[in-house]
Amino acid sequence: MDYLLERVKDHIYVVAVWDAEWNSYNNAYLIQEEAGLTVVDSCKEEHVVFLQHALNKIGKTSDDVKLMLVTHGHEDHVGGAALFTKARKVIHADETLPVASSISGKILDRGTIGGYEYTRVGYHSPGSVIFFHRPTRTLFTGDFLCFFGDPLSDGGLVSKGDDLRQAWIEYLQGGGVAKLDLPVFLNGLRIMQEYDPDVMCTGHGGVLVGDLDGFLEELITIGDKDK
């Protein structure tokens, strides 16, 4: 299995590429809009062939991509950026990019771009950003909260993912987030809550749907006790 392509909601698709080197799914997202396609993240450079194949399966090409939103600058999120030659590509100003990167647009801590609201949450990297598509109540979290190296939920790639949620709860209870990082992490969770998402598109593995407020509230409660 090289990659999975599934509809998340309306005209939003997840591309989950299996990365045998890192033993994880690396996710990118394709959103069909009147003005053209928006892409959120782009996996590794060697995953470009899967992105091209996924675009073709929904009847599009890389030239249809007009906007690329980057959650942070790690190689598994920016590696395929050069594929999108017609797109405006943006990333937070605090992120470090490869020298030859085609991403030149800079965003700051909070704002709106192309109909997507965004806020810097940090924690995973200095300029980690989450993006929110209000019309579909879809939140793109990057690696601020993701399922790196985890198997997919019993419910599949796009699901409520009760088993994945429980794994994150146990990870936090077990001290997975260092005490020094907890204030930034908890602040990010509260920002996510403010958006009131219905769908959580993560940087790796499962996409969660349904009752996200309860999940975030439980994480916040656990984190507050551990501070």
Side-chain angles (χ1 to χ4, degrees), residues 147 153-156 158-166 207-209:
F147 303 106
S153 168
D154 291 340
V158 181
S159 69
K160 188 177 179 185
D162 287 332
D163 43 354
L164 292 178
R165 298 178 193 225
Q166 184 59 36
V207 175
L208 303 184
V209 294

Side-chain angles (χ1 to χ4, degrees), residues 87-103:
R88 179 187 181 193
K89 308 166 194 178
V90 299
I91 193 170
H92 193 275
D94 287 349
E95 286 295 281
T96 301
L97 287 165
V99 174
S101 175
S102 63
I103 303 167

Side-chain angles (χ1 to χ4, degrees), residues 102-221:
S102 63
I103 303 167
S104 59
K106 302 295 183 183
I107 55 177
L108 300 177
D109 285 357
R110 197 170 189 125
T112 302
I113 182 167
Y116 295 80
E117 300 167 53
Y118 66 85
T119 304
R120 182 178 71 86
V121 288
Y123 170 63
H124 182 71
S125 66
S128 280
V129 168
I130 56 175
F131 294 96
F132 184 61
H133 187 244
R134 190 164 294 278
T136 58
R137 292 176 61 201
T138 300
L139 187 68
F140 300 89
T141 65
D143 289 0
F144 176 81
L145 197 158
C146 70
F147 303 106
F148 183 86
D150 292 330
L152 297 181
S153 168
D154 291 340
L157 176 58
V158 181
S159 69
K160 188 177 179 185
D162 287 332
D163 43 354
L164 292 178
R165 298 178 193 225
Q166 184 59 36
W168 238 104
I169 288 166
E170 293 173 3
Y171 174 77
L172 189 59
Q173 288 173 329
V177 176
K179 285 189 179 293
L180 185 65
D181 296 326
L182 263 177
V184 172
F185 181 68
L186 291 172
N187 183 63
L189 293 179
R190 291 188 171 97
I191 291 169
M192 290 168 62
Q193 254 192 333
E194 289 173 10
Y195 283 126
D196 189 25
D198 185 54
V199 181
M200 185 183 295
C201 292
T202 74
H204 297 273
V207 175
L208 303 184
V209 294
D211 190 29
L212 292 171
D213 183 70
F215 174 50
L216 294 171
E217 185 61 37
E218 187 163 7
L219 292 178
I220 290 168
T221 300

